[in-house]
Amino acid sequence: MERLAVGLIGCGTLSSYAHGPALRKLERMYEFRAIADIDPTTLNAFSKRFGVDRKFTDYKEMISSEDLDIAIVATPTPTHEEIGLYVLNHGVNLFMEKPFALTLEGARNMIEASERQGRALQVGHCVRFWQGYVQIKEQMSNGDYGEPLLAKAHRWGTMPAPLWYRDPAQSNGVGLDVAIHDLDYLRWLIGEPKSVYAQGRFEGKLPMSVQAVLEFEGDAIAYIDASWDFPPSWRFATFFEIIGTKGMAQMDSRESTTLEVYTGHTSSASSPREDDAYTRQLAAFWEPARGGKPVLPATDSIKSLELALALNKSLNGAGRVELKREVVK
Amino acid sequence: MRIALVSFAHVHAQSYARVLTELEKDGIAEMCAVYDDDSRRLAFARERFESKKLYSDIEELARDPDIDAAIVTSENTKRAGLAISLLNGGKHVLAEKPISSKVADAVRMVQLASENGLTLGTAFPMRHHDAPQSMKRVLSDLGGIRSISSANPGRFPGLWFADPAASGGGAIMDHTVHVADLARWFSGKEFSEVYALRGRSVAGEGSGEGSGLVLCKLEDDTPVSVDCSWSRLAGWPTWGNVFVSACAEKGAAVLSAFNENLWTVVQGSYKWSYYGPDADKKMILDFVRAVENHSQALATGVDGLRALEVVAAAYESINRRRPVKVSEIQGSG
């Protein structure tokens, strides 16, 4: 198997629990060649933890000197467009963390650059690789549930620590950052929605929780609930339910723990697995990065960004937002 | 106290009759009469409650001096008419939820109870369930409520529940009020705005509006969501549940009120067998004590009216395809 050289830009929380471990598991496919982060402390800690010696505080230097096949970008959202374009324009395949970009224009520019340069571009919609969600999609396609009528998705957590999340201009809040996972999944599972309406709680101008309802072509309606409003003792939780004319499915992360650990006054609960979604989504990028067919085309992911932006518009007082079909070319 | 059970149309009447039988053994209250406008149901009552008085004319029952109070478990659209006759006859009333299918009728019920000095309660058993009661106390120490997400998924109840002529709607009319009332009770705030979507029923043709997603705002803009869908298919191990998750300034509380179940297999099928608190019994006891003390039930007629306003605003929102202020439907039909 041809090993592709990978550089990681942004060595924060997500890279520590998702991309770093995934690259270590995928040694047969990828050589974890170099890392970049503007913060030297973060960079050095990550370098030590994952044993990657080639490290850069300037990602541009890494791109020019390391002869990479792939760059994974896991930086704050407002930097996605600039870094993404730099990566693609230097002929490197791009794995971009979600949300794709802060604006539709930013996402469009990256798609154009990838097409112009003939390089692969995949957005980190990891839920499409999450086993329970994948199984629901399979059973739905199989006709097990009949026609979809009602879907519900919760994604409940605490406020992420990095300060840029707190700036509405940089993160756009919980709608763009968190609800986008379930918006993307619902598009995959059910199709394109006709309308969206959202309400939520704001801290200043920052959306901290969002409750949204959507109407789809056909008879399906859906509810999405994303929150950063839970206290620090809360354990991140997801819930999904699909009701169809012939059957239903429900899953709740709080009910699917496979390992609980108790040490002194702290405890943890998880469902560890070798082939977790982060590993599967990076493995799925190997073929497209070698010129193969995209598993998750960026032209599809931009529609989820468009939907998240429509949700945000409603959340910010626009009321019911009707969605035009085929807006994104 | 002598209580009449007015109509066995609503499925909850069975549980209330069971409670009244228990209260009779305890010497607290007696189910002294049954009314029904359906001859088959009245025949059922005759067989099951041999010694009770049976009525098929509500005015006659309302004039019976031996009856102190009535629990009205009729179809939703008949409830206000029956309750108004009873209140006019000087009977205290515990109205099944929703208190009525129309806001104006509920307003009339509240006015009449007040004018005649009678107790009018709404059957919101969740206020009497120990877990939400405990949650209310917990939340009072957690600072302001920031958001509430709730759901009352249940089975399609069949019968008349999806026939708008009898129910006044479908799942939205049936299941919104329990959790909307809890949100109001927990927060101490009134609802101001509602946006809603309705969905087709999982039970197939002829079952009408089977699901609803209702997004509400409290008067201080606190977001409250309600899933009131009949979304538990046949084969699900229990009837449904009541979920309320509330995030507050200093913490969060997550309610799954009907989680105390044995996981059983009986005759080859997997079922949950509930062993949690008996909220129906506590609710009827509260009503009996309110009547005896000439006071208010824990959930009053006004509480029933406020929850119904959310339902009315939800239907108006569906018709107009926009959020609707609760003030727009107050005082209307």
Side-chain angles (χ1 to χ4, degrees), chain B residues 103-271:
Chain B
V103 169
D105 291 343
V107 169
R108 182 77 196 112
M109 288 164 69
V110 167
Q111 278 171 350
L112 205 52
S114 166
E115 284 162 18
N116 293 357
L118 296 165
T119 297
L120 171 62
T122 305
F124 283 146
M126 295 316 296
R127 287 202 188 199
H128 301 272
H129 186 297
D130 300 68
Q133 284 189 340
S134 190
M135 182 166 173
K136 181 170 165 61
R137 286 193 294 275
V138 165
L139 284 171
S140 68
D141 290 331
L142 292 183
I145 293 176
R146 291 172 156 176
S147 64
I148 294 176
S149 301
S150 70
N152 182 197
R155 279 201 190 117
F156 170 54
L159 304 171
W160 47 268
F161 281 83
D163 171 14
S167 70
I172 294 174
M173 181 61 78
D174 188 36
H175 267 195
T176 304
V177 292
H178 281 303
V179 279
D181 177 65
L182 284 183
R184 236 186 111 242
W185 190 49
F186 289 158
S187 66
K189 300 202 168 78
E190 297 297 344
F191 285 101
S192 65
E193 192 181 281
V194 179
Y195 178 86
L197 296 179
R198 63 150 42 115
R200 231 177 80 194
S201 175
V202 296
E205 293 304 313
S207 52
E209 161 197 299
S211 60
L213 297 171
V214 184
L215 299 191
C216 320
K217 284 178 185 158
L218 294 173
E219 56 193 302
D220 61 352
D221 280 347
T222 301
V224 176
S225 68
V226 177
D227 164 19
C228 55
S229 306
W230 292 326
S231 55
R232 300 303 90 170
L233 274 65
W236 190 256
T238 187
W239 65 270
N241 210 327
V242 169
F243 302 108
V244 182
S245 167
C247 286
E249 274 168 48
K250 289 184 277 185
V254 179
L255 173 77
S256 308
F258 294 94
N259 265 11
E260 287 181 285
N261 299 290
L262 303 179
W263 298 355
T264 71
V265 174
V266 177
Q267 293 180 335
S269 84
Y270 174 57
K271 295 274 179 233

Side-chain angles (χ1 to χ4, degrees), chain A residues 51-71:
Chain A
V52 183
D53 298 332
R54 307 192 63 81
K55 49 193 179 179
F56 300 83
T57 51
D58 181 356
Y59 75 88
K60 293 180 180 171
E61 214 181 296
M62 179 179 83
I63 297 293
S64 1
S65 69
E66 292 301 303
D67 191 25
L68 300 172
D69 297 304
I70 293 170

Side-chain angles (χ1 to χ4, degrees), chain A residues 213-275:
Chain A
V213 291
L214 301 102
E215 287 173 294
F216 291 82
E217 298 294 337
D219 288 325
I221 57 175
Y223 173 70
I224 286 185
D225 191 315
S227 180
W228 279 338
D229 257 338
F230 285 82
S233 56
W234 174 259
R235 211 169 266 153
F236 176 75
T238 59
F239 169 88
F240 193 83
E241 179 177 286
I242 176 79
I243 313 292
T245 49
K246 290 184 185 163
M248 64 174 288
Q250 179 184 300
M251 63 177 168
D252 187 333
S253 65
R254 288 174 293 172
E255 303 287 337
S256 59
T257 292
T258 55
L259 180 66
E260 294 172 69
V261 176
Y262 300 87
T263 49
H265 291 280
T266 62
S267 67
S268 72
S270 60
S271 309
R273 59 191 300 164
E274 181 71 13
D275 58 342

Side-chain angles (χ1 to χ4, degrees), chain B residues 90-110:
Chain B
K91 312 301 181 203
H92 304 278
V93 168
L94 176 61
E96 178 54 30
K97 60 83 213 169
I99 187 168
S100 166
S101 58
K102 289 205 170 91
V103 169
D105 291 343
V107 169
R108 182 77 196 112
M109 288 164 69
V110 167

